[in-house]
């Protein structure tokens, strides 16, 4: 076989895998209102991950002490999802770690490092695929500017599902983007259901369907099909480039409510939104499927912070916001509200300036308010 034939054969295998993936999409939903025991897995991650997770565990222990004591909630440390172990095993998520993870109902996860240069797939991407966590949900709120956005990003398709599976030919490299009917329909349904049950009246679909006519065109068309079941919600379309500008346009940005996007665009624009809120350290993130769910900070492992000797100033605010989202997901809304209120009222902010507020002292203040 010549190189072109090998590339075509590789592409054929990828298409077959994706067809099989669609056939095996899980639709059995976990009902946390009637589940007698919920297992929460805790993953430290890399870099500043163990530092911020240490603070998140303190808060979780305070909020869930009674249920942990009674056995209705089990908290389980999952070890081995470190860059060192992953490189040694040559697996984005080592097999024995994934087995531990699948014994849990939900995960609270610190940031993990992805090696540069295509050495290994992102652990997050692998987990989203293995656990079928198709909805990435990221809220952004700035009360004094009347901003209350919730982003629903498709989490298992787009460029990311095959991001490490492209082909190279002499003088050329090709990556692939995947959009399926079922994958699009379920993320659209999740976004519209959220809007319906949370008093939202506007949903904005963001693509580049004028250029990516097959994949983004399909995404847009299916989202509008789903919209017909929600007549009380106004639907509009935006291209990703103008939407990035809209978020910094103070004349119109407070009009957006729920934003629905394919994978890559959602990754980019939610970081922009978090920066508007006050930085990526201020936002939490949920990765939700029908069976499993994973909650995490949206920022990375920040190795430079450690290199500079500033690890004590790793800000746990993002992972604590993710923890609040986890509590809501498992139907502990009252405890989520306590945490959110404490964070709003906390007079301290982690800072390396003269105030010298560390991540630990910030968490001390949160625990006092709880």
């Amino acid at each position: 076989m010549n190189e072109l034939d090998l590339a075509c054969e590789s592409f054929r295998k990828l298409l077959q895998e994706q067809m099989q993936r669609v056939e095996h999409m899980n639709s059995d939903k976990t009902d946390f209102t009637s589940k007698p025991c919920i297992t929460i897995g805790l993953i430290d991650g890399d870099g500043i991950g163990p530092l911020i997770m240490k603070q998140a565990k303190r808060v979780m222990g305070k909020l869930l002490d009674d249920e942990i004591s009674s056995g209705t909630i089990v908290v389980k440390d999952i070890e081995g999802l470190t860059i060192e172990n992953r490189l040694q095993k040559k697996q984005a998520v080592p097999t024995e770690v994934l087995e531990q993870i699948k014994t849990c109902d939900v995960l609270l996860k610190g940031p993990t490092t992805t090696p540069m240069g295509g050495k290994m797939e992102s652990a997050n991407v692998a987990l989203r695929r293995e656990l079928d966590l198709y909805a990435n949900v990221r809220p952004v709120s700035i009360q004094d500017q009347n901003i209350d956005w919730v982003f629903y990003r498709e989490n298992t398709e787009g460029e990311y599902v095959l991001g490490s599976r492209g082909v190279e030919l002499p003088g050329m490299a090709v990556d692939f983007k995947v959009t399926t009917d079922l994958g699009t329909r379920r993320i659209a349904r999740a976004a519209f259901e959220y809007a319906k049950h949370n008093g939202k009246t506007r949903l904005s679909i963001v693509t580049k369907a004028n250029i990516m006519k097959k994949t983004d065109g399909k995404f847009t068309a299916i989202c509008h099909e789903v919209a017909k079941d929600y007549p009380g919600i106004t639907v509009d379309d935006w291209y990703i480039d103008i939407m990035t500008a809209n978020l910094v346009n103070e004349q119109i940005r407070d009009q957006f409510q729920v934003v629905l996007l394919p994978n890559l665009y959602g990754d980019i624009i939610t970081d922009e939104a978090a920066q508007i809120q006050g930085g990526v350290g201020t936002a939490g993130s949920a990765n939700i499927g029908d069976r499993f769910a994973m909650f995490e900070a949206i920022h990375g492992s920040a190795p430079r912070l450690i290199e500079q000797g500033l690890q004590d100033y790793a800000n746990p605010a993002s992972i604590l916001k993710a923890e609040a989202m986890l509590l809501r997901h498992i139907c502990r809304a009252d405890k989520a509200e306590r945490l959110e209120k404490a964070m709003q009222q906390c007079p301290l902010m982690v800072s390396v300036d003269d105030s010298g507020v560390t991540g630990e002292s910030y968490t001390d203040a949160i625990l006092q308010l709880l």
Side-chain angles (χ1 to χ4, degrees), residues 254-314:
D254 62 351
Q255 299 171 25
F256 296 110
Q257 295 179 2
V258 180
V259 183
L260 172 59
L261 317 91
N263 205 336
L264 176 61
Y265 311 142
D267 189 11
I268 294 168
I269 209 166
T270 52
D271 278 4
E272 180 196 12
Q275 190 63 35
I276 294 168
Q277 179 178 249
V280 293
T282 68
S285 175
N287 302 272
I288 298 173
D290 292 331
R291 169 64 181 87
F292 300 101
M294 177 173 72
F295 301 81
E296 59 186 342
I298 75 166
H299 55 72
S301 56
R304 273 178 260 181
L305 202 65
I306 295 177
E307 290 169 5
Q308 295 167 5
L310 299 174
Q311 59 269 17
D312 289 346
Y313 298 95

Side-chain angles (χ1 to χ4, degrees), residues 345-363:
Q345 294 178 342
C346 184
L348 301 182
M349 290 183 64
V350 176
S351 175
V352 297
D353 62 17
D354 293 338
S355 65
V357 177
T358 65
E360 184 172 7
S361 55
Y362 170 78
T363 308

